[in-house]
Amino acid sequence: MVASPQPCGASPRHCSRHSLFPPPSVAPSPRGSDHGFSPPPPSARRWRITSNKLGTGSFSDGVFSASGGGVEVAVKVVSSMVRGAPNIVNEAEILKRLGPHRNIVAMYAHGYARSIIEGCGGLLSRLPWSYPARVPLDAYCVVLEKVSGGELYDRIARAGRPRPREEAEARRIFGGIAAAVSHCHAHGIAHLDLKLENILLTEEVGATLID
């Protein structure tokens, strides 16, 4: 997703490596009841990564399963050494700007690993690091709602030739995608990477837009 670019007051030559990232923020944004789906917001202010990668991305080190406050979440980890480091900050700010919507992944927090991830340690200069044991202190993390229904891409690949009874499901999924995109456009946001891999499925709402 992209929004209108904001001017930067600092000259690039005066920016340190860490100036790519803003101060850490813990700003839960659970789905609102006005959208018909309201899970309890996590009470945690720090999360512990509990498993290996859930997925990978072009601009991140990976997405990992984590827990905190009795809630299972997904944590996207990005190092300042990854070429997409500024992108993750932009993504977090856009999710905050969009607010809760039943067809858009919810963001619970974002900031440096040392501020919001338990059991982290080491520096990015000491490569390679190992997950989930030691998330780098200066990695930037975005804590997201964990959507466990899988990608729409995999759902279509498994389905093979469509059957008549799947028409209702297709309508529900497409309706969720349209609602998510409409919400983005209403807030001046354009999703420039709308593809099957960026649409996750759920029993409750049909489709959830990510990235």
Side-chain angles (χ1 to χ4, degrees), residues 17-22 61 77-82 85 88-89 111-117 120-127 129 131 134-141:
R17 180 180 66 171
H18 296 301
S19 67
L20 289 171
F21 301 133
D61 296 288
V77 179
V78 176
S79 71
S80 58
M81 301 178 71
V82 176
I88 192 65
V89 177
Y112 288 111
R114 61 175 175 263
S115 301
I116 62 175
I117 302 296
C120 63
L123 298 174
L124 293 178
S125 57
R126 299 175 183 174
L127 298 176
W129 60 79
Y131 290 107
R134 291 175 68 82
V135 179
L137 288 168
D138 48 355
Y140 202 83
C141 301

Side-chain angles (χ1 to χ4, degrees), residues 131-197:
Y131 290 107
R134 291 175 68 82
V135 179
L137 288 168
D138 48 355
Y140 202 83
C141 301
V142 179
V143 182
L144 302 164
E145 168 193 10
K146 186 176 182 180
V147 183
S148 56
E151 298 175 356
L152 179 56
Y153 179 92
D154 295 329
R155 173 68 180 84
I156 292 175
R158 288 196 306 267
R161 186 175 180 178
R163 296 183 294 274
R165 68 170 184 249
E166 294 174 339
E167 183 178 339
E169 181 186 10
R171 283 200 306 268
R172 187 166 68 105
I173 292 171
F174 188 80
I177 297 169
V181 172
S182 176
H183 184 74
C184 290
H185 291 179
H187 286 76
I189 305 296
H191 195 301
L192 300 184
D193 196 22
L194 192 61
K195 58 185 180 182
L196 299 178
E197 293 89 338

Side-chain angles (χ1 to χ4, degrees), residues 8 41 48 52 64 70 94 122 129 131 143 146 157 159 170:
C8 177
R48 176 171 292 276
N52 293 324
F64 303 85
I94 285 175
W129 60 79
Y131 290 107
V143 182
K146 186 176 182 180

